[in-house]
Amino acid sequence: MALLNILHFPDTRLRTVAKPVTEFDAELKQLVSDLFETMYEAPGIGLAATQVDRHIRLLVLDVSEGRDRPRCLINPQIIASDGEEEMDEGCLSVPGFYEKVSRAERIRVRAQNTDGEVSEFEAEGLEAVCIQHEMDHLEGKLFVDYLSSLKRNRIRSKLVKQQKQQAK
């Protein structure tokens, strides 16, 4: 296993739309393992392949308190949604910032596992929000895109300043 480098906003690679996964092989399983290790170490509750500069439709999450319910979604699709929930969101690619975002409260998801098997399940609350957040990454979208341009630009400026200071 290996820790992967997480891209930070405003890195333009975060805007890349991910391509479907077509090869379900040992390399994919290794990437999934590395994504989980990186997510837990960060620490976070979700991580999309796009965030580590791998532009394939893959995400991992674990919203459990004990970090004992890891879930890997490959080529995920939201096939139904219901309700609306506003929740503070943060992002490993936008470190240190949290803002309220409105998303569906309940979703039905279809996805594949690392063997390519398709399944469907229902998610609600934090898990539903996390899946929607990570799926946005696969479309090249960040939670800051839901904010006003003023807030988004303020966050961008602060992160660019932090990145410059860390580079010194």
Side-chain angles (χ1 to χ4, degrees):
M1 296 206 308
L3 286 176
L4 305 171
N5 183 45
I6 297 173
L7 301 176
H8 291 134
F9 176 71
D11 192 310
T12 57
R13 293 173 289 180
L14 289 166
R15 300 303 186 174
T16 306
V17 176
K19 300 201 177 330
V21 173
T22 56
E23 298 287 322
F24 295 83
D25 55 13
E27 184 179 332
L28 178 67
K29 288 179 177 152
Q30 182 61 56
L31 177 58
V32 168
S33 180
D34 293 346
L35 282 169
F36 274 117
E37 182 179 4
T38 302
M39 178 190 75
Y40 286 131
E41 181 67 26
I45 61 170
L47 187 64
T50 300
Q51 293 176 270
V52 297
D53 205 22
R54 294 293 304 272
H55 304 287
I56 59 173
R57 299 192 70 76
L58 161 64
L59 63 90
V60 298
L61 68 141
D62 187 344
V63 298
S64 67
E65 288 288 325
R67 298 177 134 196
D68 56 1
R69 286 191 11 239
R71 182 168 266 183
C72 169
L73 304 180
I74 300 171
N75 298 324
Q77 300 171 283
I78 295 174
I79 55 176
S81 63
D82 185 45
E84 188 175 316
E85 183 163 10
E86 189 174 79
M87 199 177 279
D88 271 345
E89 289 189 26
C91 181
L92 296 176
S93 291
V94 189
F97 293 90
Y98 299 87
E99 295 288 341
K100 288 199 179 306
V101 176
S102 184
R103 297 192 186 268
E105 184 179 15
R106 288 172 298 285
I107 57 174
R108 182 156 188 81
V109 179
R110 179 181 298 134
Q112 292 171 279
N113 65 17
T114 55
D115 294 320
E117 298 163 341
V118 178
S119 66
E120 289 184 15
F121 65 94
E122 309 253 340
E124 62 183 342
L126 181 59
E127 184 178 38
V129 167
C130 184
I131 291 168
Q132 291 169 84
H133 176 110
E134 299 308 330
M135 285 182 67
D136 274 355
H137 281 297
L138 303 180
E139 298 300 328
K141 189 171 184 177
L142 296 161
F143 89 96
V144 295
D145 296 337
Y146 291 94
L147 308 177
S148 70
S149 59
L150 179 65
K151 278 187 179 179
R152 187 171 46 256
N153 289 333
R154 189 176 321 134
I155 291 170
R156 177 187 290 117
S157 295
K158 287 180 181 179
L159 286 173
V160 167
K161 184 177 178 181
Q162 287 174 4
Q163 291 164 8
K164 286 178 182 176
Q165 289 173 341
Q166 290 171 353
K168 288 181 183 179

